[in-house]
Amino acid sequence: MAKNIKYLTKDFNAFKQQLIDYTKTYYPNNYNDFSPSSPGTMFIEMASYVGDVLSFYLDNQIQENFLQYARQDANVYSLAYMMGYKPKTTSVASTTLTFYQQVPAIQSASVWVPDFNYALKLSNNSEVSSTNNNSISFLVRDEVDFSFSSSLDPTEVSIYSVVDNRPQYFLLKKTRKATSGTINSAEFSFGSPIQFPTVEINNSNIIGILDCTDSEGNEWYEVDYLAQDVVFDSIKNTNTNDPNFSGDTDTPYLLKLKQADRRFATRLQNRSTLQLQFGSGVVSDNDETIVPNPDNVGMGLPFEQDKLTTAFSPSNFIFTDSYGIAPSNTTLTVNYLTGGGVSANVPANSLTRLNSGDLFFIQNNLDSTTSNTIFNSFQITNLEAADGGGPGDSLEEIRQNSISQYSSQLRTVTQEDYLVRALSLPSQFGSIAKAYAQSPLASSTSLTDENVGVVDLFCLAYNNQKQLQTPSTALKNNLKTYLSQYRMIGDTVNIKNGYIINIGVEFDIIVLPNYNSNEVITSCILSLQSFFNTDNWQINQPIILRDLYVNLDGVTGVQTVKDIRIINKAGTSLGYSEYGYDIKGATIDGVIYPSIDPSIFEVKYPDSDIKGRVVSF
């Protein structure tokens, strides 16, 4: 006889009632005592208890499979990595450190200049802490070389002391970005090779891996996923490394792509455990030495079938079987960073102690007395308070960030994506000051197949005076290499120079009675200098004259703004851009529009190119 069984019951009371009804229906003559103290009720309640517990765990397991509903930390972290997001257990604070040292003055061609033979050098990955709280450290990733100066890394020189009307010592000043963090070290020994070995680092407030080397001196690279066999690498921009770009001083390092067979991926298991996973291959695997090459497409690797139906990555044609080398018969030394948090937001002028790092003279055979004086003159401070430190991602933030990450996947799809990615170029490879992305269709009258998927990226850089200039060939080459790892496979990116329109500003104002005219004019000039600060302007941004009038009207002592004139400044012999511009012809209804070709307005010399005068009614 077929028996009616219901599968919708989920809780204890429903299970109990269902079992009682089942017994009454199919065993009416065998058992009919359902009082609370009867043996039959005991067995029914025990079965209901088991059913309720199993139902709870079944619902819980299903719930933990979905990022929106998961509650256990380990599951939320695992699901976040599946969607391409890397959670953070802490947020680091950052600030700008200022480094000082004195150097003696020497005479060169009847001019007193700094003696850079006494220039100091501080090694990279140095730690600086507060004199009041030694437990909070800040890490300086880049070396500090007082003998080197460029547009991206200027060394400011000023007179420190004077004796007999001549300089005795000069003061050298350099700045570096610093982030809160302490360097920790862990060692892991490996014996015979095994596939996909994992090790774990247990610590609180883990920021990330700094570097990893084995006992043979080989460097291991961190990648986002083990199938990624190409990483970014940097080399010093010198004539020896690449004579083609050594003259470009705005790019201290050249960005290269490097195939890394020794690699690992990291994954947070919870707030205090970081797992490192390595590949499954050994050093003898020959598929790890293949350089990405279009000739490999469809051919496959040795002993493999062809790859004509494979979904290729936009950044690489190669698929390997080993996912990197598995470490064997070696010891890995992993340096990692911990720190951050709210306590890392230290006040200004508190980071003055050098905890670790090599500070030394670049030149040898220096005068010992002078060397001691110079060495003791080395000082560090943070002129600004550190900020940005926080507790890291909460579970809800991990959920929301993972959903956002899954939709973007770090790929550049829109023109805005290319703009943001260009501005994200790491500073050691050059700095893109301004960028503007557009389709060639914007200046074309007809739609052609050649323009589909083409993006024109117009870029500008800064010189050592923070004035706009066209980017060097080396900087554009670094940007090209950087974008190659993020662009869509069907896109073509044309990196071009933006156009600079240098301007001057002249204004006439009427001053209120009882106000000093010179002071009011000075305040107006300072206000316009702030208004035309290059940081506030982007490529293809127009000048709205009404905003200038409102700006000057807000200056204390100004009664009326009579007139404002924008004047084009051009001519390389005068230090301006080579491009002239018809300001009057480009002015429509009080708005000065930039040219059709992407351009930016710049007041290059604000101290001399912004002029004002006081007029009467």
Side-chain angles (χ1 to χ4, degrees), residues 177-393:
K177 290 291 185 181
T179 55
S180 58
T182 302
I183 300 177
N184 304 268
S185 183
E187 291 188 352
F188 304 97
S189 297
F190 295 86
S192 300
I194 60 175
Q195 288 190 339
F196 302 109
T198 60
V199 295
E200 292 183 352
I201 295 175
N202 295 289
N203 208 330
S204 58
N205 295 330
I206 299 176
I207 299 173
I209 301 298
L210 183 62
D211 57 58
C212 178
T213 55
D214 59 27
S215 52
E216 289 76 33
N218 299 311
E219 183 175 0
W220 293 70
Y221 296 90
E222 182 180 2
V223 293
D224 293 329
Y225 45 89
L226 289 177
Q228 176 187 339
D229 57 359
V230 177
V231 297
F232 288 127
D233 191 23
S234 61
I235 60 173
K236 194 78 172 178
N237 187 8
T238 62
N239 186 68
T240 303
N241 290 332
D242 197 326
N244 296 321
F245 303 127
S246 59
D248 297 332
T249 58
D250 58 352
T251 52
Y253 290 88
L254 299 178
L255 183 61
K256 302 292 184 180
L257 291 178
K258 180 178 181 179
Q259 189 172 10
D261 50 0
R262 292 179 173 87
R263 58 185 184 266
F264 63 92
T266 59
R267 186 178 298 108
L268 283 167
Q269 302 296 298
N270 48 56
R271 295 188 180 276
S272 59
T273 303
L274 180 66
Q275 182 188 79
L276 283 68
Q277 185 177 36
F278 301 86
S280 63
V282 294
V283 179
S284 61
D285 285 348
N286 59 359
D287 63 355
E288 287 295 330
T289 61
I290 294 180
V291 177
N293 190 315
D295 295 337
N296 299 129
V297 178
M299 179 183 66
L301 299 173
F303 314 109
E304 296 292 326
Q305 297 178 354
D306 66 77
K307 304 292 184 181
L308 290 176
T309 58
T310 301
F312 287 101
S313 165
S315 62
N316 192 2
F317 291 130
I318 301 299
F319 280 75
T320 67
D321 290 337
S322 65
Y323 299 99
I325 292 176
S328 60
N329 302 314
T330 188
T331 298
L332 290 184
T333 301
V334 180
N335 293 318
Y336 64 98
L337 299 176
T338 59
V342 177
S343 61
N345 299 324
V346 298
N349 299 316
S350 61
L351 300 174
T352 57
R353 175 184 295 172
L354 180 63
N355 270 2
S356 65
D358 296 328
L359 181 65
F360 55 92
F361 288 103
I362 302 174
Q363 297 292 334
N364 297 321
N365 302 321
L366 301 175
D367 181 74
S368 59
T369 303
T370 305
S371 298
N372 290 332
T373 302
I374 298 304
F375 196 88
N376 294 329
S377 71
F378 178 78
Q379 298 290 331
I380 309 170
T381 191
N382 58 313
L383 300 178
E384 301 175 353
D387 56 10
D393 292 339

Side-chain angles (χ1 to χ4, degrees), residues 464-506:
N464 56 2
Q465 303 295 323
K466 204 178 180 181
Q467 299 166 338
L468 293 174
Q469 66 177 13
T470 56
S472 65
T473 304
L475 177 54
K476 288 188 285 188
N477 188 71
N478 283 351
L479 180 60
K480 171 187 173 183
T481 304
Y482 183 65
L483 292 178
S484 68
Q485 295 300 291
Y486 299 100
R487 68 178 181 86
M488 299 294 288
I489 195 169
D491 287 352
T492 299
V493 183
N494 298 322
I495 301 177
K496 300 182 176 181
N497 295 332
Y499 296 91
I500 303 171
I501 302 174
N502 290 134
I503 58 172
V505 183
E506 297 179 355

Side-chain angles (χ1 to χ4, degrees), residues 449-565:
D449 293 338
E450 289 78 8
N451 287 335
V452 176
V454 178
V455 176
D456 286 342
L457 185 62
F458 294 85
C459 301
L460 291 170
Y462 285 132
N463 62 14
N464 56 2
Q465 303 295 323
K466 204 178 180 181
Q467 299 166 338
L468 293 174
Q469 66 177 13
T470 56
S472 65
T473 304
L475 177 54
K476 288 188 285 188
N477 188 71
N478 283 351
L479 180 60
K480 171 187 173 183
T481 304
Y482 183 65
L483 292 178
S484 68
Q485 295 300 291
Y486 299 100
R487 68 178 181 86
M488 299 294 288
I489 195 169
D491 287 352
T492 299
V493 183
N494 298 322
I495 301 177
K496 300 182 176 181
N497 295 332
Y499 296 91
I500 303 171
I501 302 174
N502 290 134
I503 58 172
V505 183
E506 297 179 355
F507 60 90
D508 299 333
I509 61 172
I510 299 175
V511 177
L512 289 169
N514 301 323
Y515 278 87
N516 186 293
S517 297
N518 291 331
E519 292 181 356
V520 176
I521 284 291
T522 300
S523 298
C524 289
I525 291 176
L526 292 175
S527 180
L528 288 179
Q529 287 178 352
S530 176
F531 182 86
F532 282 103
N533 188 305
T534 310
D535 293 337
N536 302 328
W537 288 82
Q538 303 298 329
I539 295 178
N540 270 16
Q541 179 179 345
I543 300 175
I544 302 176
L545 294 177
R546 175 177 172 79
D547 291 344
L548 295 178
Y549 280 91
V550 172
N551 183 279
L552 292 182
D553 279 331
V555 175
T556 302
V558 175
Q559 178 176 347
T560 305
V561 180
K562 293 286 290 183
D563 188 28
I564 297 178
R565 299 172 297 278

